[in-house]
Amino acid sequence: MKRTVFAYPYIVWMLIFILAPMLLIVWYAFSKGGSFTLGNLITAFSDPVYMRVLLRSVWIALKATAICLLLGYPIAYLLSAMKKSTASLLYVLFIVPMWMNFLLRTYAWQVLLDKSGILNTLLAFLHLPAQNMLYTESAIMLGTVYNFLPFMILPIYTVLIKLDASLVEAAHDLGANGIITFFKVILPQSIPGIISGITMVFIPAITTFAISRLLGGGKFMLYGDLIENQFITLGKDAWPVGSALSFILLVLVLASMAVMRQAERNAGEEGGILW
Amino acid sequence: MKKLALFLAFILLFGLFCGCARRGGKDSVTLNVLNWGDYIDEDLLKQFEAETGIYVNYTTMATNEEMLVKLQQPDCIYDICFPSDYIIEKLVADDLLYALNKDNIPNMQHIDGRFLDLSFDPGNEYSVPYMWGTVGILYNTTLVDDPVDSWDILWNEKYSGQILMYDSIRDTMGVALLKLGHSINTREQSDILDAEAALIEQKPLVLAYLGDPIKDRMIAGGGALAIVYSGDAMWCIDENPDLAYAVPATGTNLWFDNIIIPKTSQHTAEAEAFINFLCNPEVAAQNAEYIGYSTPNSAALEIMGEDYIDNPTYNPSQELLDKCDIFHDLGNFINVYNDSWNRVKSFVG
C-alpha cells in the first residue's frame, strides 16, 4: 500500500474547505448578475475610503512586524545561547499561551488596559494618574505584537540552534570580536529564520480584524474590519465589493509570500544551504 | 485501495455534516431560534421543552443587519427570529415572512393595543411585538455634572475620551440626525452628509464604538456617557447605581423587537406554539424581569408591579412617546447611510 493513499482525505478536505471558498470569492469579485465585470474591483480601488484603510493596514502590519523582529531576534538569540534545559523550558513558556484561543488572550488585554483595569489600579497604587490605554492605536499595536511575537521567535530560534558552533569558533580564532562575529557570521546565516518569521507575522497582522475591534474600539478600521463589515452588516448587495476587497488582500498576501521566498532563495545562494 | 480511501474520506466528511443530528429522537421537532444575545431567560426554553416536547436550538447574533443577511439566505434554517421594526418592513417587502395564524396564538390578546397594528406591520399579519424601548443617554452621575437633556452633551469636549457610541449604522447615524433636528428616516442626501460631518467632528471625543460591551464598560465606570437602549440602561443601573438614563425631551427613536417566523420554516405550528408561550403573561413577566427590557404585554406588566410601571426608563410617558419616531426601511437609500458610516469609521484625525 502506498503512503500517498493517506493523503486523500486531506486533499478532499482542502478542495472543499480551502479551494472552494476561494473560488467563490473570485467568482463574486468578478461577476455582477451572472456576467463578468471588473466593476467591483474598480470600486474597491477607486474609493478613497477603501484605499486609506488598506494603506493603514499595511502600515500597521509593517510596524508590528518590525517591532516583532526587534524584540524577537534578541530573545531567540538569548534562548539559543542558554543551557539546553533552561532554553527548552522558556521555549515552552512562549508556546503555552498559543494553546489558548487568541481572542481570549486579546480579551485579557482589555481587562489589563481598561480605565478601571489592572494596570491602572497599579498606577493608582503608585499615586500616578490613570492612563487611557484601551481603545488607542498603541493598544492595537500591543495586541498585534503580543499575539504574533512567538511566530517571529520560533523560526529564528530554530535556525540559531542549528548553527554550526565551529564557524563561530573559527571566527574567534581568526581574531573577530563578538560584534563582528555576530554581524559577519551569525546574522547572515539566520536570514532564512528571519524571513519565515517576517512572513508568519506580516500575513496574520495584515489580515487581522478582531484585534483592532477589541483593542481599538472600532475607531481604527483595518482592511479586515472593512471586509467583515461588507459581509456581516451591509448585506448581500455588498458581497461582490467585499469579495473584490478580499481578492485584493489575497493577491497582496501571495505577493508578499513570493517576495519573501525570493529573498530566502537569494540568502540561500549567499550563505549556503542551512536547512 | 485508493478507491477505499477516497470512499472513507467522503464518509468522514459526510459524518461531519450529519454530526449535528437532532436531539430527542425521530418524532420530536426542533425549533431553530435566532435571537440577540442575553435576550431571553433561558430557563424558559427548558420550561417550553418540558411543556410541549418541542426542542429549541438557540443561537444568537449581534446586529439587525447580521440577522437580515441570515434570513435572506434561500436555505435559511431558522423557525423563530426577533428582528426590529425596520427590518420587518424590509422582510415583508421581500416576501420572506410567514403570515401568522392568530388562532394558534390566543395569548396575543394580552398585548397592549398601543403596540399593535404599527406602521411596519399593519394588522400584525407577520409579527408579534416582543420587547420595546427607547434610545437614550446612559451617564455616570459621578463623572457628569451638566444636565443631560440634549444630544449636544455627546459633543461636549469636557467629556473627551469618555463617550461611548453604538457600533451600529442606524442607531449612531440616528443620534447625529436627532441632534441636528433631522428625521431619523431622512432620505435627503444633505441631511446624511450633515450627520456624517457631525460624527466626524465628534470622533476625537469618542472613547470607542462598541456593541454589547458598552454595558460592561459603563458598569465598570469606564465611560461617562453612552448611547444605549432603555432596556440595557435598566440592567446597567441595576448593576451600578451611579448610572442614570435620560432621553432628550425633543424625542428619540422608539423601537420594537418582534417575533417572526421566516417563510422557509418547516415547523410553523410549533413556532406559533412558541410565540404563544412567550405571550403568556406569567412567562412574559418572568422573561421581561430577566432581560430588563420593556414588555408590550400589559397583563405581564400588571404582574411585574408598580416598580416597573412607575419607572420612566422602563415605561416612558405617552407624552414622550408621541415625540418619538420608529425606524423605517430605507430601501436602496441605506447605501447612502452605509457610505457615510464607512467614512466616519475609517476617519482618523
Side-chain angles (χ1 to χ4, degrees):
Chain A
M1 192 171 90
K2 273 202 276 177
R3 256 193 216 163
T4 47
V5 167
F6 292 109
Y8 278 110
Y10 184 61
I11 290 169
V12 174
W13 180 273
M14 285 213 301
L15 284 178
I16 297 181
F17 292 105
I18 300 179
L19 200 64
M22 279 196 181
L23 288 177
L24 267 178
I25 287 176
V26 174
W27 163 256
Y28 265 107
F30 288 100
S31 68
K32 191 170 201 173
S35 58
F36 176 83
T37 175
L38 284 176
N40 304 323
L41 214 57
I42 291 169
T43 313
F45 270 115
S46 60
D47 192 315
V49 170
Y50 298 158
M51 260 355 242
R52 193 163 61 198
V53 175
L54 179 61
L55 290 178
R56 182 189 306 145
S57 301
V58 173
W59 177 234
I60 286 188
L62 282 175
K63 262 205 292 194
T65 313
I67 295 173
C68 279
L69 182 59
L70 289 177
L71 284 175
Y73 196 96
I75 295 173
Y77 184 74
L78 289 175
L79 275 180
S80 71
M82 276 175 193
K83 223 171 53 184
K84 193 111 198 241
S85 56
T86 327
S88 353
L89 180 71
L90 288 174
Y91 182 87
V92 168
L93 285 180
F94 275 109
I95 295 181
V96 165
M98 296 207 293
W99 293 351
M100 243 190 323
N101 185 295
F102 103 102
L103 276 180
L104 275 181
R105 284 180 274 143
T106 310
Y107 271 114
W109 275 110
Q110 278 194 335
V111 179
L112 288 168
L113 297 176
D114 195 13
K115 196 109 186 228
S116 50
I118 294 167
L119 283 177
N120 269 323
T121 315
L122 206 67
L123 285 179
F125 183 73
L126 299 170
H127 297 287
L128 293 168
Q131 301 293 318
N132 249 341
M133 292 178 282
L134 191 58
Y135 305 136
T136 59
E137 200 172 329
S138 318
I140 299 180
M141 194 52 74
L142 177 75
T144 315
V145 169
Y146 166 76
N147 273 308
F148 303 135
L149 186 61
F151 297 113
M152 184 63 87
I153 297 175
L154 299 185
I156 297 179
Y157 172 70
T158 317
V159 170
L160 287 178
I161 50 166
K162 281 189 191 157
L163 202 128
D164 194 344
S166 55
L167 289 172
V168 177
E169 283 163 17
H172 284 310
D173 286 347
L174 294 169
N177 64 18
I179 296 170
I180 293 181
T181 311
F182 176 76
F183 281 106
K184 293 270 179 188
V185 179
I186 299 173
L187 189 64
Q189 300 210 65
S190 55
I191 281 177
I194 294 177
I195 287 171
S196 32
I198 290 176
T199 319
M200 284 171 76
V201 171
F202 182 73
I203 289 170
I206 200 173
T207 51
T208 184
F209 63 95
I211 296 174
S212 57
R213 167 127 44 92
L214 294 177
L215 300 179
K219 281 193 295 184
F220 309 91
M221 195 186 239
L222 298 187
Y223 216 56
D225 298 299
L226 191 65
I227 294 171
E228 194 215 11
N229 193 37
Q230 296 281 328
F231 282 91
I232 302 283
T233 58
L234 299 193
K236 264 195 129 157
D237 297 343
W239 287 12
V241 173
S243 300
L245 296 171
S246 309
F247 181 75
I248 293 172
L249 193 57
L250 194 71
V251 170
L252 201 69
V253 165
L254 288 176
S256 58
M257 281 172 80
V259 169
M260 292 298 167
R261 183 156 292 181
Q262 190 56 45
E264 198 173 350
R265 207 166 288 155
N266 292 347
E269 277 163 18
E270 282 167 23
I273 294 153
L274 283 167
W275 298 86
Chain B
M1 195 63 224
K2 268 188 184 179
K3 270 184 192 159
L4 182 66
L6 207 62
F7 179 71
L8 281 176
F10 275 111
I11 294 286
L12 276 174
L13 279 168
F14 197 69
L16 197 75
F17 292 113
C18 299
C20 11
R22 62 178 58 155
R23 292 180 291 164
K26 259 186 184 166
D27 299 326
S28 66
V29 169
T30 300
L31 286 179
N32 288 314
V33 175
L34 179 64
N35 198 359
W36 305 78
D38 272 340
Y39 213 37
I40 202 165
D41 180 351
E42 296 198 27
D43 287 344
L44 291 171
L45 298 178
K46 288 188 202 106
Q47 190 184 329
F48 176 72
E49 289 179 346
E51 278 179 18
T52 61
I54 301 167
Y55 285 93
V56 175
N57 180 17
Y58 186 72
T59 343
T60 62
M61 46 85 233
T63 67
N64 264 311
E65 284 72 17
E66 206 177 312
M67 175 144 31
L68 182 63
V69 170
K70 289 194 168 148
L71 293 179
Q72 282 171 334
Q73 301 299 325
D75 53 352
C76 167
I77 57 159
Y78 298 101
D79 301 298
I80 289 279
C81 198
F82 298 80
S84 303
D85 31 59
Y86 66 104
I87 298 293
I88 303 245
E89 234 172 49
K90 170 108 180 121
L91 290 168
V92 170
D94 292 353
D95 192 26
L96 290 169
L97 297 185
Y98 162 80
L100 302 171
N101 179 356
K102 304 282 171 47
D103 295 341
N104 291 337
I105 315 174
N107 282 334
M108 249 186 107
Q109 57 167 323
H110 302 298
I111 306 286
D112 189 333
R114 287 190 296 165
F115 306 128
L116 291 173
D117 196 22
L118 294 167
S119 55
F120 54 86
D121 182 16
N124 286 80
E125 217 179 313
Y126 304 99
S127 69
V128 176
Y130 179 62
M131 295 285 159
W132 66 281
T134 55
V135 172
I137 304 170
L138 181 71
Y139 61 100
N140 190 321
T141 49
T142 61
L143 299 172
V144 178
D145 41 22
D146 297 294
V148 183
D149 53 8
S150 136
W151 299 108
D152 291 331
I153 196 163
L154 296 169
W155 273 258
N156 188 336
E157 288 182 14
K158 209 166 119 185
Y159 303 109
S160 173
Q162 303 183 70
I163 298 170
L164 291 165
M165 297 295 280
Y166 228 84
D167 190 8
S168 151
I169 300 174
R170 289 295 300 263
D171 290 313
T172 297
M173 291 291 283
V175 165
L177 289 167
L178 285 167
K179 169 195 149 66
L180 297 165
H182 299 311
S183 156
I184 54 174
N185 292 306
T186 182
R187 285 170 185 256
E188 291 293 329
Q189 184 130 20
S190 59
D191 291 355
I192 311 291
L193 292 178
D194 284 355
E196 175 190 329
L199 289 175
I200 286 179
E201 179 200 329
Q202 184 210 25
K203 191 163 181 182
L205 311 178
V206 173
L207 174 61
Y209 299 90
L210 302 175
D212 273 339
I214 280 192
K215 295 185 272 182
D216 300 331
R217 290 280 162 273
M218 286 305 285
I219 292 167
L225 297 151
I227 301 287
V228 294
Y229 303 128
S230 51
D232 287 342
M234 289 286 295
W235 193 74
C236 292
I237 294 167
D238 216 36
E239 296 281 315
N240 180 351
D242 288 339
L243 301 177
Y245 179 76
V247 176
T250 47
T252 181
N253 165 226
L254 173 67
W255 52 261
F256 294 90
D257 289 336
N258 312 273
I259 322 173
I260 56 103
I261 304 176
K263 210 167 195 176
T264 47
S265 169
Q266 300 295 314
H267 306 296
T268 52
E270 289 83 359
E272 280 164 343
F274 186 68
I275 297 177
N276 194 46
F277 173 79
L278 288 178
C279 292
N280 174 310
E282 299 276 339
V283 171
Q286 183 186 336
N287 200 21
E289 281 184 29
Y290 174 86
I291 305 170
Y293 276 52
S294 310
T295 175
N297 192 314
S298 47
L301 192 59
E302 282 301 317
I303 298 174
M304 293 165 74
E306 283 169 8
D307 281 354
Y308 286 92
I309 296 171
D310 298 337
N311 184 330
T313 301
Y314 194 81
N315 194 15
S317 69
Q318 189 59 41
E319 189 193 353
L320 177 69
L321 296 190
D322 288 340
K323 291 208 183 90
C324 295
D325 251 340
I326 302 176
F327 277 139
H328 291 295
D329 176 44
L330 296 163
N332 280 335
F333 194 76
I334 190 67
N335 290 328
V336 178
Y337 280 73
N338 289 341
D339 289 346
S340 273
W341 181 238
N342 259 343
R343 284 193 289 270
V344 172
K345 286 293 293 289
S346 66
F347 177 84
V348 171

